[in-house]
């Protein structure tokens, strides 16, 4: 596997290579949990959303509940729009330090995907088969009783 060159465009239009990305530890991020200084982690990226608190359509309280912590699950549960995801980029200040990232996140994605497929089978196939069996039994008994 070769190394990939990741780049980002800063707000001033300047391209910043991944080597210039600022990394923050979870301990540093935890200190930024107040309304005058609010940071969030979403998908291992760190955002300073202090200036956005008053603009948030859901109210600043929901953001302050997650302040200084990983808000990925809450962010995804709400189902933010593409516009909201793009808007988030302007508040990006860095990334979560590699040592603080959840190592199992890649296996969780795999497990949840494969688990999701089996639950689809369970959720749809089993009831469908049960319906077919009940239908056949009904037909068998109604035909048998008609001929008697």
């Amino acid at each position: 596997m070769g190394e990939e060159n990741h780049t980002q465009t800063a707000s001033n239009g300047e391209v910043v290579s991944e080597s210039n990305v600022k990394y923050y530890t979870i301990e540093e991020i935890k200190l930024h949990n107040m309304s005058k200084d609010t940071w969030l982690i979403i998908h291992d990226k760190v955002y300073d959303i202090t200036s956005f608190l008053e603009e948030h359509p859901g109210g600043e309280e929901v953001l302050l509940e997650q302040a200084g912590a990983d808000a990925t699950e809450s962010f995804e549960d709400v189902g933010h729009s593409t516009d909201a995801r793009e808007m988030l980029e302007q508040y990006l200040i860095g990334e979560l330090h590699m040592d603080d990232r959840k190592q199992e996140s890649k296996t969780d994605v795999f497990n949840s995907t494969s688990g999701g497929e089996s639950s689809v089978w369970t959720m749809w196939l089993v009831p469908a088969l049960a319906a077919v069996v009940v239908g056949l039994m009904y037909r068998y008994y109604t035909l048998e009783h008609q001929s008697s």
Side-chain angles (χ1 to χ4, degrees):
M1 292 191 174
E3 286 186 27
E4 295 180 16
N5 184 17
H6 295 281
T7 59
Q8 293 181 333
T9 305
S11 57
N12 62 3
E14 185 176 291
V15 175
V16 180
S17 71
E18 187 171 82
S19 60
N20 293 336
V21 171
K22 174 78 173 145
Y23 289 94
Y24 297 95
T25 65
I26 196 76
E27 294 305 318
E28 289 175 292
I29 297 164
K30 284 180 182 179
L31 299 174
H32 302 273
N33 63 359
M34 298 164 282
S35 61
K36 302 259 187 256
D37 184 22
T38 312
W39 290 11
L40 294 177
I41 305 164
I42 300 175
H43 295 293
D44 296 328
K45 292 186 178 185
V46 181
Y47 301 91
D48 181 348
I49 58 158
T50 309
S51 62
F52 179 68
L53 288 177
E54 292 179 11
E55 299 174 36
H56 187 252
E60 63 182 75
E61 298 81 22
V62 295
L63 295 176
L64 289 172
E65 287 175 8
Q66 303 292 321
D70 191 333
T72 304
E73 189 172 336
S74 297
F75 183 83
E76 293 300 339
D77 285 349
V78 171
H80 284 90
S81 66
T82 304
D83 290 342
R85 292 171 189 279
E86 289 173 4
M87 184 185 294
L88 188 61
E89 293 305 311
Q90 67 185 310
Y91 302 103
L92 181 66
I93 58 170
E95 293 187 13
L96 185 61
H97 193 278
M98 295 297 181
D99 293 342
D100 289 330
R101 294 183 185 196
K102 294 178 183 170
Q103 297 301 319
E104 67 276 359
S105 62
K106 288 183 182 172
T107 56
D108 283 351
V109 169
F110 176 76
N111 289 339
S112 67
T113 302
S114 61
E117 290 170 5
S118 68
S119 69
V120 168
W121 283 106
T122 305
M123 199 166 101
W124 295 104
L125 187 60
V126 171
L129 287 173
V132 168
V133 169
V134 169
L136 290 172
M137 289 174 56
Y138 174 78
R139 186 154 175 104
Y140 172 77
Y141 286 114
T142 56
L143 287 177
E144 189 174 292
H145 290 291
Q146 283 179 349
S147 60
S148 306

